[in-house]
mmCIF file of all heavy atoms in Angstrom:
data_model
loop_
_atom_site.group_PDB
_atom_site.id
_atom_site.type_symbol
_atom_site.label_atom_id
_atom_site.label_comp_id
_atom_site.label_asym_id
_atom_site.label_seq_id
_atom_site.Cartn_x
_atom_site.Cartn_y
_atom_site.Cartn_z
ATOM 1 N N MET A 215 -46.021 91.750 -82.440
ATOM 2 C CA MET A 215 -45.370 91.527 -81.177
ATOM 3 C C MET A 215 -46.151 90.483 -80.385
ATOM 4 O O MET A 215 -47.368 90.501 -80.378
ATOM 5 C CB MET A 215 -45.309 92.800 -80.351
ATOM 6 C CG MET A 215 -44.434 93.859 -80.911
ATOM 7 S SD MET A 215 -44.488 95.209 -79.733
ATOM 8 C CE MET A 215 -42.848 95.694 -79.763
ATOM 9 N N SER A 216 -45.416 89.626 -79.715
ATOM 10 C CA SER A 216 -46.082 88.613 -78.898
ATOM 11 C C SER A 216 -45.854 88.907 -77.417
ATOM 12 O O SER A 216 -44.885 89.546 -77.038
ATOM 13 C CB SER A 216 -45.553 87.229 -79.244
ATOM 14 O OG SER A 216 -44.181 87.151 -78.915
ATOM 15 N N THR A 217 -46.746 88.419 -76.624
ATOM 16 C CA THR A 217 -46.660 88.616 -75.177
ATOM 17 C C THR A 217 -46.293 87.297 -74.520
ATOM 18 O O THR A 217 -46.880 86.272 -74.815
ATOM 19 C CB THR A 217 -48.009 89.100 -74.624
ATOM 20 O OG1 THR A 217 -48.371 90.280 -75.337
ATOM 21 C CG2 THR A 217 -47.915 89.391 -73.151
ATOM 22 N N LYS A 218 -45.320 87.333 -73.625
ATOM 23 C CA LYS A 218 -44.918 86.130 -72.909
ATOM 24 C C LYS A 218 -45.433 86.215 -71.478
ATOM 25 O O LYS A 218 -45.344 87.255 -70.841
ATOM 26 C CB LYS A 218 -43.402 85.977 -72.883
ATOM 27 C CG LYS A 218 -42.789 85.690 -74.224
ATOM 28 C CD LYS A 218 -41.314 85.461 -74.070
ATOM 29 C CE LYS A 218 -40.698 85.126 -75.415
ATOM 30 N NZ LYS A 218 -39.266 84.890 -75.314
ATOM 31 N N GLU A 219 -45.974 85.104 -71.018
ATOM 32 C CA GLU A 219 -46.455 85.050 -69.646
ATOM 33 C C GLU A 219 -45.583 84.074 -68.854
ATOM 34 O O GLU A 219 -45.165 83.049 -69.370
ATOM 35 C CB GLU A 219 -47.905 84.564 -69.599
ATOM 36 C CG GLU A 219 -48.887 85.576 -70.115
ATOM 37 C CD GLU A 219 -50.314 85.107 -69.918
ATOM 38 O OE1 GLU A 219 -50.555 84.283 -69.022
ATOM 39 O OE2 GLU A 219 -51.173 85.572 -70.683
ATOM 40 N N GLU A 220 -45.371 84.425 -67.642
ATOM 41 C CA GLU A 220 -44.602 83.544 -66.769
ATOM 42 C C GLU A 220 -45.530 83.091 -65.641
ATOM 43 O O GLU A 220 -46.155 83.905 -64.972
ATOM 44 C CB GLU A 220 -43.398 84.286 -66.179
ATOM 45 C CG GLU A 220 -42.479 83.406 -65.393
ATOM 46 C CD GLU A 220 -41.244 84.145 -64.936
ATOM 47 O OE1 GLU A 220 -40.795 85.075 -65.638
ATOM 48 O OE2 GLU A 220 -40.750 83.796 -63.871
ATOM 49 N N VAL A 221 -45.608 81.775 -65.478
ATOM 50 C CA VAL A 221 -46.498 81.222 -64.466
ATOM 51 C C VAL A 221 -45.645 80.709 -63.317
ATOM 52 O O VAL A 221 -44.726 79.924 -63.501
ATOM 53 C CB VAL A 221 -47.344 80.074 -65.049
ATOM 54 C CG1 VAL A 221 -48.240 79.483 -63.969
ATOM 55 C CG2 VAL A 221 -48.164 80.570 -66.238
ATOM 56 N N LEU A 222 -45.966 81.164 -62.117
ATOM 57 C CA LEU A 222 -45.262 80.705 -60.939
ATOM 58 C C LEU A 222 -46.157 79.732 -60.186
ATOM 59 O O LEU A 222 -47.306 80.032 -59.895
ATOM 60 C CB LEU A 222 -44.906 81.882 -60.029
ATOM 61 C CG LEU A 222 -43.958 82.911 -60.604
ATOM 62 C CD1 LEU A 222 -43.798 84.053 -59.598
ATOM 63 C CD2 LEU A 222 -42.607 82.314 -60.909
ATOM 64 N N GLU A 223 -45.617 78.565 -59.904
ATOM 65 C CA GLU A 223 -46.379 77.579 -59.161
ATOM 66 C C GLU A 223 -45.862 77.516 -57.734
ATOM 67 O O GLU A 223 -44.673 77.629 -57.488
ATOM 68 C CB GLU A 223 -46.239 76.207 -59.813
ATOM 69 C CG GLU A 223 -46.876 76.134 -61.175
ATOM 70 C CD GLU A 223 -46.753 74.748 -61.771
ATOM 71 O OE1 GLU A 223 -46.477 73.790 -61.036
ATOM 72 O OE2 GLU A 223 -46.931 74.635 -62.990
ATOM 73 N N LYS A 224 -46.766 77.317 -56.834
ATOM 74 C CA LYS A 224 -46.401 77.207 -55.438
ATOM 75 C C LYS A 224 -46.316 75.718 -55.102
ATOM 76 O O LYS A 224 -47.269 74.976 -55.290
ATOM 77 C CB LYS A 224 -47.461 77.890 -54.580
ATOM 78 C CG LYS A 224 -46.983 78.363 -53.268
ATOM 79 C CD LYS A 224 -48.072 79.180 -52.590
ATOM 80 C CE LYS A 224 -47.500 79.962 -51.438
ATOM 81 N NZ LYS A 224 -48.512 80.742 -50.750
ATOM 82 N N LYS A 225 -45.150 75.285 -54.614
ATOM 83 C CA LYS A 225 -44.977 73.885 -54.276
ATOM 84 C C LYS A 225 -44.817 73.748 -52.769
ATOM 85 O O LYS A 225 -44.176 74.570 -52.128
ATOM 86 C CB LYS A 225 -43.735 73.308 -54.964
ATOM 87 C CG LYS A 225 -43.881 73.194 -56.448
ATOM 88 C CD LYS A 225 -42.712 72.496 -57.061
ATOM 89 C CE LYS A 225 -42.912 72.342 -58.549
ATOM 90 N NZ LYS A 225 -41.809 71.602 -59.162
ATOM 91 N N GLU A 226 -45.410 72.704 -52.251
ATOM 92 C CA GLU A 226 -45.315 72.441 -50.821
ATOM 93 C C GLU A 226 -44.096 71.545 -50.580
ATOM 94 O O GLU A 226 -43.940 70.512 -51.215
ATOM 95 C CB GLU A 226 -46.576 71.736 -50.330
ATOM 96 C CG GLU A 226 -46.635 71.563 -48.836
ATOM 97 C CD GLU A 226 -47.963 70.969 -48.396
ATOM 98 O OE1 GLU A 226 -49.000 71.307 -49.001
ATOM 99 O OE2 GLU A 226 -47.927 70.172 -47.464
ATOM 100 N N VAL A 227 -43.257 71.990 -49.666
ATOM 101 C CA VAL A 227 -42.043 71.242 -49.365
ATOM 102 C C VAL A 227 -42.188 70.618 -47.991
ATOM 103 O O VAL A 227 -42.464 71.301 -47.010
ATOM 104 C CB VAL A 227 -40.799 72.160 -49.401
ATOM 105 C CG1 VAL A 227 -39.560 71.387 -49.020
ATOM 106 C CG2 VAL A 227 -40.661 72.807 -50.760
ATOM 107 N N LYS A 228 -42.024 69.305 -47.948
ATOM 108 C CA LYS A 228 -42.101 68.605 -46.672
ATOM 109 C C LYS A 228 -40.694 68.230 -46.248
ATOM 110 O O LYS A 228 -39.879 67.808 -47.063
ATOM 111 C CB LYS A 228 -42.959 67.352 -46.801
ATOM 112 C CG LYS A 228 -44.404 67.641 -47.089
ATOM 113 C CD LYS A 228 -45.208 66.371 -47.186
ATOM 114 C CE LYS A 228 -46.652 66.704 -47.495
ATOM 115 N NZ LYS A 228 -47.464 65.484 -47.591
ATOM 116 N N SER A 229 -40.414 68.403 -44.995
ATOM 117 C CA SER A 229 -39.091 68.038 -44.502
ATOM 118 C C SER A 229 -39.237 67.149 -43.276
ATOM 119 O O SER A 229 -40.210 67.242 -42.530
ATOM 120 C CB SER A 229 -38.265 69.274 -44.159
ATOM 121 O OG SER A 229 -38.881 69.984 -43.114
ATOM 122 N N LYS A 230 -38.273 66.298 -43.099
ATOM 123 C CA LYS A 230 -38.258 65.418 -41.945
ATOM 124 C C LYS A 230 -37.117 65.826 -41.036
ATOM 125 O O LYS A 230 -36.061 66.242 -41.506
ATOM 126 C CB LYS A 230 -38.048 63.965 -42.376
ATOM 127 C CG LYS A 230 -39.190 63.389 -43.163
ATOM 128 C CD LYS A 230 -38.901 61.941 -43.504
ATOM 129 C CE LYS A 230 -40.043 61.326 -44.265
ATOM 130 N NZ LYS A 230 -39.766 59.935 -44.617
ATOM 131 N N GLU A 231 -37.348 65.702 -39.751
ATOM 132 C CA GLU A 231 -36.268 65.982 -38.819
ATOM 133 C C GLU A 231 -35.333 64.785 -38.819
ATOM 134 O O GLU A 231 -35.774 63.643 -38.827
ATOM 135 C CB GLU A 231 -36.825 66.216 -37.411
ATOM 136 C CG GLU A 231 -37.582 67.512 -37.296
ATOM 137 C CD GLU A 231 -38.013 67.801 -35.874
ATOM 138 O OE1 GLU A 231 -37.375 67.304 -34.934
ATOM 139 O OE2 GLU A 231 -38.991 68.531 -35.722
ATOM 140 N N SER A 232 -34.072 65.081 -38.823
ATOM 141 C CA SER A 232 -33.114 63.991 -38.839
ATOM 142 C C SER A 232 -32.993 63.361 -37.459
ATOM 143 O O SER A 232 -33.244 63.994 -36.436
ATOM 144 C CB SER A 232 -31.747 64.491 -39.301
ATOM 145 O OG SER A 232 -31.255 65.428 -38.386
ATOM 146 N N LYS A 233 -32.605 62.117 -37.449
ATOM 147 C CA LYS A 233 -32.418 61.418 -36.188
ATOM 148 C C LYS A 233 -31.131 61.904 -35.543
ATOM 149 O O LYS A 233 -30.224 62.376 -36.206
ATOM 150 C CB LYS A 233 -32.327 59.920 -36.440
ATOM 151 C CG LYS A 233 -33.615 59.344 -36.996
ATOM 152 C CD LYS A 233 -33.470 57.868 -37.232
ATOM 153 C CE LYS A 233 -34.754 57.310 -37.801
ATOM 154 N NZ LYS A 233 -34.660 55.887 -38.055
ATOM 155 N N LEU A 234 -31.089 61.784 -34.255
ATOM 156 C CA LEU A 234 -29.897 62.204 -33.536
ATOM 157 C C LEU A 234 -28.771 61.209 -33.795
ATOM 158 O O LEU A 234 -28.999 60.014 -33.913
ATOM 159 C CB LEU A 234 -30.179 62.293 -32.038
ATOM 160 C CG LEU A 234 -31.192 63.357 -31.630
ATOM 161 C CD1 LEU A 234 -31.448 63.264 -30.130
ATOM 162 C CD2 LEU A 234 -30.694 64.736 -31.967
ATOM 163 N N HIS A 235 -27.583 61.718 -33.868
ATOM 164 C CA HIS A 235 -26.413 60.883 -34.091
ATOM 165 C C HIS A 235 -25.520 60.943 -32.865
ATOM 166 O O HIS A 235 -25.557 61.891 -32.094
ATOM 167 C CB HIS A 235 -25.643 61.350 -35.323
ATOM 168 C CG HIS A 235 -26.413 61.152 -36.586
ATOM 169 N ND1 HIS A 235 -27.353 62.055 -37.020
ATOM 170 C CD2 HIS A 235 -26.408 60.152 -37.484
ATOM 171 C CE1 HIS A 235 -27.872 61.621 -38.144
ATOM 172 N NE2 HIS A 235 -27.327 60.466 -38.445
ATOM 173 N N GLU A 236 -24.736 59.935 -32.727
ATOM 174 C CA GLU A 236 -23.879 59.850 -31.566
ATOM 175 C C GLU A 236 -22.461 59.506 -32.012
ATOM 176 O O GLU A 236 -22.260 58.674 -32.882
ATOM 177 C CB GLU A 236 -24.406 58.758 -30.642
ATOM 178 C CG GLU A 236 -23.725 58.681 -29.317
ATOM 179 C CD GLU A 236 -24.412 57.671 -28.415
ATOM 180 O OE1 GLU A 236 -25.623 57.783 -28.217
ATOM 181 O OE2 GLU A 236 -23.720 56.773 -27.949
ATOM 182 N N ILE A 237 -21.509 60.181 -31.420
ATOM 183 C CA ILE A 237 -20.103 59.903 -31.700
ATOM 184 C C ILE A 237 -19.476 59.380 -30.417
ATOM 185 O O ILE A 237 -19.635 59.965 -29.354
ATOM 186 C CB ILE A 237 -19.355 61.164 -32.165
ATOM 187 C CG1 ILE A 237 -19.947 61.665 -33.480
ATOM 188 C CG2 ILE A 237 -17.872 60.886 -32.290
ATOM 189 C CD1 ILE A 237 -19.342 62.957 -33.958
ATOM 190 N N VAL A 238 -18.769 58.279 -30.534
ATOM 191 C CA VAL A 238 -18.114 57.691 -29.376
ATOM 192 C C VAL A 238 -16.606 57.794 -29.572
ATOM 193 O O VAL A 238 -16.079 57.352 -30.592
ATOM 194 C CB VAL A 238 -18.522 56.208 -29.197
ATOM 195 C CG1 VAL A 238 -17.800 55.600 -28.010
ATOM 196 C CG2 VAL A 238 -20.022 56.092 -29.033
ATOM 197 N N LEU A 239 -15.941 58.425 -28.619
ATOM 198 C CA LEU A 239 -14.485 58.523 -28.649
ATOM 199 C C LEU A 239 -13.914 57.767 -27.460
ATOM 200 O O LEU A 239 -14.396 57.925 -26.339
ATOM 201 C CB LEU A 239 -14.030 59.977 -28.569
ATOM 202 C CG LEU A 239 -14.176 60.825 -29.812
ATOM 203 C CD1 LEU A 239 -13.718 62.252 -29.505
ATOM 204 C CD2 LEU A 239 -13.409 60.279 -30.975
ATOM 205 N N TYR A 240 -12.933 56.973 -27.720
ATOM 206 C CA TYR A 240 -12.298 56.212 -26.654
ATOM 207 C C TYR A 240 -10.950 56.813 -26.307
ATOM 208 O O TYR A 240 -10.249 57.343 -27.160
ATOM 209 C CB TYR A 240 -12.109 54.752 -27.080
ATOM 210 C CG TYR A 240 -13.409 54.029 -27.294
ATOM 211 C CD1 TYR A 240 -13.904 53.815 -28.577
ATOM 212 C CD2 TYR A 240 -14.145 53.577 -26.209
ATOM 213 C CE1 TYR A 240 -15.098 53.151 -28.767
ATOM 214 C CE2 TYR A 240 -15.348 52.910 -26.396
ATOM 215 C CZ TYR A 240 -15.817 52.694 -27.669
ATOM 216 O OH TYR A 240 -17.004 52.052 -27.870
ATOM 217 N N ASN A 241 -10.597 56.714 -25.062
ATOM 218 C CA ASN A 241 -9.284 57.143 -24.620
ATOM 219 C C ASN A 241 -8.294 56.047 -25.024
ATOM 220 O O ASN A 241 -8.152 55.037 -24.358
ATOM 221 C CB ASN A 241 -9.299 57.358 -23.101
ATOM 222 C CG ASN A 241 -7.968 57.827 -22.586
ATOM 223 O OD1 ASN A 241 -7.153 58.333 -23.330
ATOM 224 N ND2 ASN A 241 -7.744 57.648 -21.304
ATOM 225 N N ASP A 242 -7.644 56.255 -26.155
ATOM 226 C CA ASP A 242 -6.719 55.243 -26.678
ATOM 227 C C ASP A 242 -5.418 55.919 -27.095
ATOM 228 O O ASP A 242 -5.128 57.037 -26.687
ATOM 229 C CB ASP A 242 -7.360 54.481 -27.838
ATOM 230 C CG ASP A 242 -7.850 55.405 -28.943
ATOM 231 O OD1 ASP A 242 -7.497 56.591 -28.927
ATOM 232 O OD2 ASP A 242 -8.576 54.931 -29.834
ATOM 233 N N ASP A 243 -4.628 55.233 -27.901
ATOM 234 C CA ASP A 243 -3.339 55.778 -28.334
ATOM 235 C C ASP A 243 -3.490 56.973 -29.277
ATOM 236 O O ASP A 243 -2.587 57.788 -29.407
ATOM 237 C CB ASP A 243 -2.514 54.699 -29.029
ATOM 238 C CG ASP A 243 -2.100 53.602 -28.071
ATOM 239 O OD1 ASP A 243 -2.059 53.861 -26.846
ATOM 240 O OD2 ASP A 243 -1.808 52.489 -28.560
ATOM 241 N N TYR A 244 -4.622 57.069 -29.953
ATOM 242 C CA TYR A 244 -4.826 58.166 -30.902
ATOM 243 C C TYR A 244 -5.501 59.375 -30.235
ATOM 244 O O TYR A 244 -5.107 60.509 -30.453
ATOM 245 C CB TYR A 244 -5.669 57.674 -32.085
ATOM 246 C CG TYR A 244 -5.847 58.712 -33.156
ATOM 247 C CD1 TYR A 244 -4.802 59.030 -34.025
ATOM 248 C CD2 TYR A 244 -7.035 59.404 -33.298
ATOM 249 C CE1 TYR A 244 -4.953 60.000 -34.994
ATOM 250 C CE2 TYR A 244 -7.197 60.369 -34.266
ATOM 251 C CZ TYR A 244 -6.153 60.664 -35.111
ATOM 252 O OH TYR A 244 -6.308 61.630 -36.068
ATOM 253 N N ASN A 245 -6.529 59.139 -29.443
ATOM 254 C CA ASN A 245 -7.264 60.217 -28.764
ATOM 255 C C ASN A 245 -6.785 60.329 -27.326
ATOM 256 O O ASN A 245 -6.866 59.381 -26.563
ATOM 257 C CB ASN A 245 -8.768 59.923 -28.759
ATOM 258 C CG ASN A 245 -9.347 59.880 -30.143
ATOM 259 O OD1 ASN A 245 -9.263 60.849 -30.877
ATOM 260 N ND2 ASN A 245 -9.905 58.751 -30.502
ATOM 261 N N THR A 246 -6.341 61.509 -26.981
ATOM 262 C CA THR A 246 -5.884 61.715 -25.608
ATOM 263 C C THR A 246 -7.078 61.870 -24.675
ATOM 264 O O THR A 246 -8.188 62.151 -25.100
ATOM 265 C CB THR A 246 -5.008 62.981 -25.510
ATOM 266 O OG1 THR A 246 -5.813 64.117 -25.809
ATOM 267 C CG2 THR A 246 -3.819 62.904 -26.418
ATOM 268 N N PHE A 247 -6.841 61.688 -23.403
ATOM 269 C CA PHE A 247 -7.890 61.801 -22.406
ATOM 270 C C PHE A 247 -8.495 63.211 -22.424
ATOM 271 O O PHE A 247 -9.720 63.366 -22.391
ATOM 272 C CB PHE A 247 -7.314 61.478 -21.023
ATOM 273 C CG PHE A 247 -8.339 61.464 -19.938
ATOM 274 C CD1 PHE A 247 -9.314 60.479 -19.873
ATOM 275 C CD2 PHE A 247 -8.342 62.443 -18.963
ATOM 276 C CE1 PHE A 247 -10.269 60.468 -18.874
ATOM 277 C CE2 PHE A 247 -9.285 62.435 -17.946
ATOM 278 C CZ PHE A 247 -10.253 61.456 -17.910
ATOM 279 N N ASP A 248 -7.680 64.227 -22.519
ATOM 280 C CA ASP A 248 -8.180 65.609 -22.564
ATOM 281 C C ASP A 248 -9.026 65.865 -23.813
ATOM 282 O O ASP A 248 -10.048 66.552 -23.737
ATOM 283 C CB ASP A 248 -7.016 66.594 -22.506
ATOM 284 C CG ASP A 248 -6.293 66.582 -21.177
ATOM 285 O OD1 ASP A 248 -6.939 66.289 -20.155
ATOM 286 O OD2 ASP A 248 -5.077 66.867 -21.169
ATOM 287 N N HIS A 249 -8.597 65.316 -24.929
ATOM 288 C CA HIS A 249 -9.352 65.498 -26.171
ATOM 289 C C HIS A 249 -10.734 64.827 -26.068
ATOM 290 O O HIS A 249 -11.738 65.392 -26.506
ATOM 291 C CB HIS A 249 -8.573 64.903 -27.348
ATOM 292 C CG HIS A 249 -9.332 64.921 -28.639
ATOM 293 N ND1 HIS A 249 -9.597 66.065 -29.332
ATOM 294 C CD2 HIS A 249 -9.901 63.911 -29.353
ATOM 295 C CE1 HIS A 249 -10.282 65.779 -30.413
ATOM 296 N NE2 HIS A 249 -10.491 64.475 -30.438
ATOM 297 N N VAL A 250 -10.798 63.649 -25.482
ATOM 298 C CA VAL A 250 -12.068 62.954 -25.304
ATOM 299 C C VAL A 250 -12.990 63.766 -24.406
ATOM 300 O O VAL A 250 -14.176 63.924 -24.696
ATOM 301 C CB VAL A 250 -11.823 61.539 -24.720
ATOM 302 C CG1 VAL A 250 -13.141 60.864 -24.366
ATOM 303 C CG2 VAL A 250 -11.041 60.685 -25.709
ATOM 304 N N ILE A 251 -12.476 64.331 -23.337
ATOM 305 C CA ILE A 251 -13.288 65.136 -22.414
ATOM 306 C C ILE A 251 -13.813 66.388 -23.115
ATOM 307 O O ILE A 251 -14.993 66.746 -22.996
ATOM 308 C CB ILE A 251 -12.477 65.511 -21.169
ATOM 309 C CG1 ILE A 251 -12.234 64.283 -20.319
ATOM 310 C CG2 ILE A 251 -13.206 66.569 -20.347
ATOM 311 C CD1 ILE A 251 -11.317 64.522 -19.151
ATOM 312 N N GLU A 252 -12.985 67.077 -23.882
ATOM 313 C CA GLU A 252 -13.388 68.303 -24.586
ATOM 314 C C GLU A 252 -14.453 68.020 -25.626
ATOM 315 O O GLU A 252 -15.369 68.814 -25.823
ATOM 316 C CB GLU A 252 -12.181 68.950 -25.241
ATOM 317 C CG GLU A 252 -11.234 69.601 -24.278
ATOM 318 C CD GLU A 252 -10.014 70.171 -24.988
ATOM 319 O OE1 GLU A 252 -10.075 70.387 -26.208
ATOM 320 O OE2 GLU A 252 -8.995 70.390 -24.318
ATOM 321 N N THR A 253 -14.319 66.898 -26.291
ATOM 322 C CA THR A 253 -15.265 66.572 -27.356
ATOM 323 C C THR A 253 -16.583 66.157 -26.777
ATOM 324 O O THR A 253 -17.614 66.530 -27.225
ATOM 325 C CB THR A 253 -14.700 65.452 -28.235
ATOM 326 O OG1 THR A 253 -13.418 65.835 -28.705
ATOM 327 C CG2 THR A 253 -15.568 65.190 -29.425
#
């Protein structure tokens, strides 16, 4: 009989904060004034 070993490695995970994004909605024929205000 053989013995199997399992090795667990600890990895360091680095994360970066994402930059802020901006959405611009214009009051036009597609977006209503109320929809722009709500958004």
Side-chain angles (χ1 to χ4, degrees):
M215 293 182 140
S216 64
T217 304
K218 292 184 178 180
E219 289 186 24
E220 186 175 329
V221 178
L222 297 176
E223 293 182 17
K224 205 173 195 181
K225 291 186 178 183
E226 187 175 323
V227 177
K228 294 181 181 180
S229 63
K230 293 182 179 179
E231 290 186 25
S232 63
K233 295 180 181 180
L234 295 176
H235 294 83
E236 188 174 306
I237 297 176
V238 178
L239 285 178
Y240 295 102
N241 181 20
D242 55 12
D243 293 337
Y244 184 75
N245 297 301
T246 65
F247 184 69
D248 293 330
H249 174 71
V250 173
I251 290 174
E252 288 177 20
T253 306

